[in-house]
Amino acid sequence: MDMASRLEYYTIEDIYNLPDGQRAELIDGELYMMATPSRIHQRLVKDFTFLIESYIRRKNGDCEVYPSPFAVFLNADDKIYLEPDISVVCDKDKLTDEGCKGAPDWIIEIVSPSSRPMDYNKKLFKYRTAGVREYWIVDPMKQLIMVYNFEHDTYEEYSISDKVKAGIYEDLEIDFTRISFE
């Protein structure tokens, strides 16, 4: 590969060679730098992780919940490296010391101003085609939750005053009125 094309095509190695503290995601050879998340973003990640983890433990479930930063090698190759805000992985064979090799079962992304195009477009397409079963986009600014259930090819939109049922579980419902968006 000559130097000109090398500058335009990145790999997992480039992710690992980033300076300490700098984070990025890789999609088809293109590097997307990640901004530091806001306090509200991090609280939402914490709250969702707690709610889902508590549910799984109560049910003695086998799935595991991983908040970001957690490496997802979406197609189990070196072309796509993502750090979803929350990844729920039910197939433990996909888990390695590096992260998840393949599609998690459920992904939740909390939209930040800088991540909006990625979460709504690129990641939506990549998650659907890679085999993610369910994808939630939680948009604090719009106060909306978009739920894509790829297994059943459905899409539903909710507000932060709704209860939202998780598609991959029969009886997990998240009451958004109990989650602070401030």
Side-chain angles (χ1 to χ4, degrees), residues 29 53 59 74 80 92 105 113 118 132 156 161 165 171:
E53 179 71 25
K59 298 292 185 171
L74 197 56
I80 300 179
K92 292 202 170 114
D105 293 86
M118 287 285 288
V132 170
E156 293 186 58
S161 61
K165 186 184 173 322
D171 59 351

Side-chain angles (χ1 to χ4, degrees), residues 6 17 25 29-30 40 69 88 107 119-120 139 148 166 169 180:
R6 171 73 176 124
N17 289 325
E25 294 181 307
E30 194 168 339
I40 292 169
V88 178
I107 290 178
D119 295 337
Y120 278 95
D139 193 327
Y148 296 87
Y169 295 110
S180 175

